[in-house]
Amino acid sequence: MHDGLLTVGSDRSEPPPASRRPHHRVLAIVFTLAVVAAAVLASVLVYSAMRGPAKPAAAPASPPASALAARVDPGLVDVTATLGYQQVISAGTGMVLTPSGRVITNNHVIEGATSVTVTDVGNHRTYTAAVVGYDQGQDIAVLQLAAASGLKTVSLSTSSAVTVGEKVLALGNAQGQGGTPAAATGTITALGQSITATDQAAGISEQLTGLIQTDVPLQPGDSGGPLVGPAGQVIGMNTAASSQFQISSGTAQAFAIPASQAAPIAAAIAAGRSLAAVHIGATALLGVQVVSYGVPVPGNPAIAGAGVAGITPSTAAARAGLAPGDVIVSIGGHAVTSAMSLRSVMDAYHPGDTASLSWVDQAGHAHTATIIFTAGSVG
């Protein structure tokens, strides 16, 4: 199985994880930190200065983790996506935003899916889910459950007032075991963090920014689940963690998209509003497998494109005559410089759209063809 949790690599051995329910393995995606230590320190210091000195009076005691979990659990779902072209299953978590079944999760949980099913924690029912839209750059996707009603929901906090040192609780479908969400606790260790996330299965890297960093020992399958603050508010969506629970600092590192950052994107997708990085509706399929880096164009190494590693039969790319070893340089007049660039350009298209496709073959000869996109898997 393929699981929905971006992970940070490490050279350290892995100690036993925090006490959680039995699990099985579902995903392996790796990311590396993109922030130097000085930048991390600066973000903490700036944030502390903005908040001012701590109040001398002790804060009210927070509810126990079990009470917070019981409050949030009914509004969660287990997400299972069938990745048709890779013939694997992705497992993750989602949060219900409306009683009629609008759900937010991480894009990487459902990316590449040909079908998605969701099991609601509150009523234990399983629903077929359609992908309403997604923002690959922010790693956010919105689902709609078929024939759902009366579901329990969670509210994403629109406040950015979170503090380094606050106790937090993470809930999710750890290791894809389903049932009552697993819980793990920790503290916020930094704010405003940036990481480079790499999906090894897809061979694509992306930058995620503005993240909340914690020392919560997340597990594969927790992606898309809530990060809960001390008052029971959902302050973030868990997205990434260290692949081994210890890294150079000797503690876990995990990252969550702030709820205040995710909420407006989810609202735009749900309303069908077209934002610069948001794709609404079905995904267009070109039908190529590409390498994860820019490839010099034959005969003109100063120009880079998306190198073609394979072709899916009966797709637009196959009908146009592309072959492994070719380099795609533009679609619809938009330059393509890498696999990531190709994915961004493709986000502007839907099944049935027509565009010009330009590429250079291994001999350095340029080609252009008019293609019609078919329907593909999510993202």
Side-chain angles (χ1 to χ4, degrees), residues 2-6 27 29 79 81 83 90 93 103-113 116 131 133-143 199 202 204 206 208 223-224 237-239 257 265 269 277 279 283 340 343 347 377-379:
H2 184 78
D3 154 88
L5 180 66
L6 299 175
L27 174 68
I29 301 178
V79 180
L83 311 183
S90 171
T93 311
V103 170
I104 185 172
T105 187
N106 281 132
N107 181 66
H108 73 257
V109 171
I110 51 88
E111 188 168 19
V116 181
V131 178
Y134 50 85
D135 185 331
Q136 293 178 333
Q138 298 291 330
D139 200 13
I140 292 169
V142 175
L143 314 177
D199 183 339
I204 294 174
E206 61 187 21
L208 299 177
S223 281
M237 180 167 64
N238 298 310
T239 297
I257 299 169
I265 296 173
I269 294 173
H279 181 94
T283 302
M340 189 64 186
R343 187 171 71 158
D347 268 350
S377 58
V378 178

Side-chain angles (χ1 to χ4, degrees), residues 10-284:
S10 169
D11 294 329
R12 287 178 173 262
S13 60
E14 180 177 327
S19 176
R20 305 181 79 164
R21 292 174 177 79
H23 54 263
H24 58 83
R25 183 171 180 79
V26 273
L27 174 68
I29 301 178
V30 179
F31 74 76
T32 54
L33 290 174
V35 188
V36 295
V40 174
L41 178 60
S43 68
V44 174
L45 292 177
V46 169
Y47 186 82
S48 298
M50 292 173 62
R51 289 191 59 84
K55 296 180 180 180
S62 299
S66 58
L68 295 180
R71 188 186 307 176
V72 178
D73 278 353
L76 305 184
V77 297
D78 298 330
V79 180
T80 302
T82 301
L83 311 183
Y85 304 126
Q86 293 110 319
Q87 296 299 309
V88 294
I89 301 297
S90 171
T93 311
M95 293 179 279
V96 182
L97 300 180
T98 67
S100 60
R102 198 56 60 90
V103 170
I104 185 172
T105 187
N106 281 132
N107 181 66
H108 73 257
V109 171
I110 51 88
E111 188 168 19
T114 52
S115 66
V116 181
T117 58
V118 166
T119 300
D120 185 76
V121 173
N123 66 14
H124 311 294
R125 291 183 57 188
T126 298
Y127 302 87
T128 299
V131 178
V132 178
Y134 50 85
D135 185 331
Q136 293 178 333
Q138 298 291 330
D139 200 13
I140 292 169
V142 175
L143 314 177
Q144 176 60 54
L145 311 190
S149 63
L151 303 187
K152 300 294 184 182
T153 64
V154 300
S155 296
L156 302 181
S157 173
T158 57
S159 172
S160 58
V162 295
T163 310
V164 172
E166 278 187 351
K167 299 293 183 182
V168 288
L169 169 71
L171 301 168
N173 183 19
Q175 296 292 353
Q177 82 267 358
T180 302
T185 59
T187 60
I188 296 175
T189 56
L191 300 167
Q193 300 304 288
S194 298
I195 60 174
T196 300
T198 302
D199 183 339
Q200 290 184 321
I204 294 174
S205 297
E206 61 187 21
Q207 292 284 331
L208 299 177
T209 61
L211 305 180
I212 300 170
Q213 181 178 327
T214 73
D215 58 10
V216 177
L218 296 182
Q219 295 189 40
D222 284 337
S223 281
L227 184 68
V228 183
Q233 75 278 29
V234 176
I235 62 172
M237 180 167 64
N238 298 310
T239 297
S242 51
S243 58
Q244 297 178 335
F245 288 102
Q246 283 188 321
I247 56 174
S248 58
S249 64
T251 59
Q253 281 192 348
F255 297 88
I257 299 169
S260 59
Q261 184 174 311
I265 296 173
I269 294 173
R273 295 199 302 272
S274 180
L275 300 179
V278 169
H279 181 94
I280 303 295
T283 302

Side-chain angles (χ1 to χ4, degrees), residues 286 295-298 300 303-308 322 326-338 341-342 345 356-361 365-368:
L286 177 58
V295 175
V297 174
N300 192 350
I303 300 175
V308 177
L322 268 76
D326 292 346
V327 181
I328 299 171
V329 294
S330 72
I331 295 179
H334 300 286
V336 173
T337 57
S338 64
S341 171
L342 174 62
V345 170
S356 62
L357 172 67
S358 298
W359 72 96
V360 178
D361 63 27
H365 300 141
H367 303 265
T368 298

